[in-house]
Amino acid sequence: MFSLNILKKLFLVIYNDLKANGYFQEYFGYDCVDFGHVEGSLGINIDGQIYSLLRKDGLWPVESRIKKYTEDDLFDMIEFLYDHVSHPIETPGAYHSWNDCGWHYSKFDRISGQKKFLKRINEILADYSTGFVMNPDGVILVKEMGGLGRIHEAAIPTDSNRIRSKVEIASQKYLQSRSNLEERRIAIRELADILEELRTEAKSYLLSKDESDLFNIANNYFIRHSNAKQKGNYDKDIWYSWTFYLYLSTIHALLRIKKRQEAKIKDKSVQDLVEALQKADEE
């Protein structure tokens, strides 16, 4: 695992390489020996555009400002660049040969550009500090390790868009690289609320003590409510991580068991109908 300074240097290599190959021309423009600076779709005031989105000054241009970036600044800019990268497409006349000026592109493939950016950025984020990863939405998340580390990427087995959305939002809130302990506690509480909705299923599929213990964790360890009886003197980093994955995996398990039971009921109903029709036909 390497330091923030090493991450900055590796990121700058990737940024400069993509920039030299036209991956930022669509949004940031390019320099031409004949026409000077040709604006991209973000216009000439890139720093102003960054401020309007990130509420931060002094992040642009990357090459001259990156030494002063904090981790938060760097992650913000990586996410900003992901939203403004695109693969340049060579077309007739796009190469300006005068004085070796270079390629001036007018057609771009954003999805292809983002895929390349994502792949290269994740190669360095994985080895920074405790490990990070950028998801396909362009959000940098903590790279969770262990057997359950990828469960937040698994499809949520429910037809309820509301439950699916709540689980996805809670997971992203917990795993965002800049989430603090309070934000993580709120994310766990939101998962606990989903489990509360599924409590009928929990009573059906879990032993009564297991079902009770799940909600005791949320209620007694300063996650769902705040009162004098709750326990708060513990290592929250470790406890929150364990609780988050316990709740998330339990939600997945309950929803999968529910789907399986519903499928069995449906299959039985169909079989009963077939048998009834066969019996009527025999009579």
Side-chain angles (χ1 to χ4, degrees):
M1 294 296 181
F2 45 72
S3 67
L4 178 60
N5 284 335
I6 298 298
L7 179 65
K8 289 179 186 179
K9 291 177 181 179
L10 293 173
F11 165 72
L12 197 56
V13 170
I14 294 172
Y15 171 77
N16 285 333
D17 179 54
L18 292 175
K19 181 181 178 181
N21 285 284
Y23 277 77
F24 298 113
Q25 283 191 17
E26 180 179 11
Y27 293 96
F28 304 139
Y30 57 88
D31 294 320
C32 177
V33 294
D34 288 337
F35 302 104
H37 182 73
V38 178
E39 294 179 14
S41 61
L42 287 183
I44 195 169
N45 188 11
I46 306 299
D47 204 32
Q49 293 284 354
I50 292 173
Y51 180 80
S52 69
L53 289 171
L54 305 180
R55 293 295 187 265
K56 288 183 177 182
D57 270 325
L59 299 182
W60 189 265
V62 173
E63 300 94 318
S64 61
R65 302 300 181 99
I66 191 170
K67 286 186 179 180
K68 295 184 178 180
Y69 283 3
T70 63
E71 177 188 281
D72 193 59
D73 294 336
L74 180 60
F75 284 2
D76 275 341
M77 283 304 296
I78 290 174
E79 291 176 352
F80 175 79
L81 291 170
Y82 176 83
D83 290 334
H84 299 91
V85 65
S86 53
H87 177 76
I89 299 172
E90 294 182 12
T91 55
Y95 184 74
H96 188 188
S97 59
W98 172 250
N99 202 24
D100 199 25
C101 190
W103 288 93
H104 302 333
Y105 299 99
S106 59
K107 291 185 178 181
F108 303 88
D109 182 337
R110 187 167 184 244
I111 293 175
S112 177
Q114 287 182 324
K115 284 182 178 179
K116 182 165 185 175
F117 184 89
L118 187 68
K119 181 178 183 297
R120 296 194 64 181
I121 288 298
N122 276 335
E123 288 172 353
I124 61 174
L125 285 178
D127 292 323
Y128 165 63
S129 186
T130 56
F132 294 85
V133 63
M134 175 178 270
N135 70 14
D137 294 324
V139 178
I140 297 175
L141 306 174
V142 175
K143 185 180 180 183
E144 294 288 332
M145 306 300 289
L148 292 175
R150 299 181 68 86
I151 192 171
H152 60 274
E153 299 175 2
I156 301 162
T158 178
D159 295 326
S160 170
N161 291 330
R162 185 179 58 80
I163 290 179
R164 186 183 301 112
S165 177
K166 289 178 71 173
V167 173
E168 289 172 350
I169 291 170
S171 296
Q172 183 161 301
K173 184 183 295 183
Y174 182 89
L175 292 166
Q176 274 190 324
S177 58
R178 284 151 287 184
S179 64
N180 56 39
L181 284 175
E182 176 60 15
E183 290 168 330
R184 292 185 178 191
R185 185 185 72 83
I186 292 171
I188 294 169
R189 187 186 67 192
E190 290 169 355
L191 292 183
D193 289 342
I194 296 167
L195 275 173
E196 186 71 52
E197 293 182 38
L198 299 173
R199 197 158 191 166
T200 300
E201 283 81 0
K203 289 179 179 178
S204 300
Y205 308 136
L206 299 177
L207 295 174
S208 60
K209 186 178 184 304
D210 295 335
E211 179 261 334
S212 177
D213 286 345
L214 277 175
F215 294 96
N216 284 339
I217 291 169
N219 291 328
N220 294 334
Y221 285 84
F222 202 57
I223 292 173
R224 296 192 68 199
H225 311 292
S226 179
N227 61 61
K229 294 182 179 180
Q230 284 179 302
K231 303 172 179 65
N233 187 22
Y234 51 87
D235 190 325
K236 292 183 174 63
D237 269 329
I238 295 172
W239 185 259
Y240 283 4
S241 181
W242 179 81
T243 309
F244 171 77
Y245 281 107
L246 171 66
Y247 282 8
L248 185 58
S249 59
T250 303
I251 288 169
H252 273 265
L254 290 175
L255 291 173
R256 291 180 191 281
I257 292 171
K258 181 181 178 182
K259 267 189 172 294
R260 188 178 300 167
Q261 293 297 108
E262 289 172 347
K264 286 181 180 178
I265 292 170
K266 184 178 179 181
D267 289 344
K268 187 176 186 306
S269 297
V270 171
Q271 184 62 34
D272 288 345
L273 177 59
V274 170
E275 290 177 357
L277 290 174
Q278 289 176 338
K279 185 176 180 181
D281 187 54
E282 290 171 358
E283 293 176 350

